[in-house]
Amino acid sequence: ILNVEQSPQSLHVQEGDSTNFTCSFPSSNFYALHWYRWETAKSPEALFVMTLNGDEKKKGRISATLNTKEGYSYLYIKGSQPEDSATYLCALFNDYKLSFGAGTTVTVRA
Amino acid sequence: GAVVSQHPSRVICKSGTSVKIECRSLDFQATTMFWYRQFPKQSLMLMATSNEGSKATYEQGVEKDKFLINHASLTLSTLTVTSAHPEDSSFYICSARRGVENTGELFFGEGSRLTVL
């Protein structure tokens, strides 16, 4: 099991503000990094699968960047809305398995 | 998107009894399913990889006789917690991979919270 760290553990953001948070992982033997969004009482839902260094992916107001050489990925939420409140998980794919971080829980205040 | 259904969502049982949790892929065939466990404020920890038609592959430290996994069809995997004890109380969640690309996204069930009294 690989050490995947996410920070901060939680954050509160005012509606309309933008925010970002980090996923750190071992940079050696990189294959892929996944981001998932997990709303309370629902199933985790895939946001992005990132494979290339320098990759940037976007889905609506949410985007992610990837730096495989230094071992980190950022997730950005632009103009946060209450429906963005969720726990965001990153997971490193290696050896046919995913190793998850503990997540960043985002609470958007109206 | 693809749908994975997990049942039951909550279960309370007495110490010493066994509990079965089902994970179904509703609209695709899943040759591989994964079972995770999550303790409070911790990350999802992979317990085992469930392969259709063959034995599950367990992660280090996970007792295969304690956590029985059966993947008898391409749409159903089950996890049975045998002779459950209070320390087995946890959140269990399954996921399935659609397609053959190993780096592809996973589709998760809703999870099952087990409480052993």
Side-chain angles (χ1 to χ4, degrees), chain B residues 26-96:
Chain B
L26 299 184
D27 55 355
F28 67 99
Q29 293 182 331
T31 55
T32 304
M33 289 186 173
F34 303 90
W35 287 95
Y36 294 84
R37 180 169 56 184
Q38 185 184 39
F39 291 108
K41 295 193 182 297
Q42 295 188 22
S43 58
L44 294 174
M45 294 299 296
L46 181 64
M47 298 175 66
T49 301
S50 172
N51 302 297
E52 188 268 336
S54 64
K55 292 182 179 180
T57 305
Y58 289 82
E59 295 300 302
Q60 191 173 7
V62 178
E63 298 176 59
K64 59 182 67 177
D65 295 330
K66 175 83 173 165
F67 299 99
L68 299 179
I69 290 172
N70 185 282
H71 195 156
S73 78
L74 286 171
T75 59
L76 174 64
S77 176
T78 61
L79 168 69
T80 301
V81 183
T82 62
S83 186
H85 291 283
E87 58 265 28
D88 298 323
S89 298
S90 189
F91 182 80
Y92 296 87
I93 190 167
C94 69
S95 66

Side-chain angles (χ1 to χ4, degrees), chain A residues 1 9 31-32 34 36 38 41-46 49 51 89 93 96-98 100-102, chain B residues 4 34 36 38 41-46 49 59 91 93 97 102-106 108-110:
Chain A
I1 299 295
Q9 184 177 28
Y31 287 99
H34 293 211
Y36 291 85
W38 195 358
K42 295 186 178 180
S43 307
E45 177 188 350
V49 177
T51 56
L89 303 174
F93 180 85
Y96 304 103
K97 295 177 280 194
L98 284 178
F100 281 86
Chain B
V4 173
F34 303 90
Y36 294 84
Q38 185 184 39
K41 295 193 182 297
Q42 295 188 22
S43 58
L44 294 174
M45 294 299 296
L46 181 64
T49 301
E59 295 300 302
F91 182 80
I93 190 167
R97 177 178 292 133
N102 285 324
T103 57
E105 64 193 70
L106 296 183
F108 282 84
E110 303 94 334

Side-chain angles (χ1 to χ4, degrees), chain A residues 38-69:
Chain A
W38 195 358
E39 292 182 71
T40 303
K42 295 186 178 180
S43 307
E45 177 188 350
L47 286 173
F48 307 114
V49 177
M50 308 182 79
T51 56
L52 299 175
N53 184 43
D55 213 1
E56 181 171 344
K57 296 208 171 183
K58 188 176 181 181
K59 183 182 287 188
R61 292 177 292 95
I62 301 176
S63 61
T65 60
L66 178 67
N67 184 322
T68 60
K69 295 187 177 180

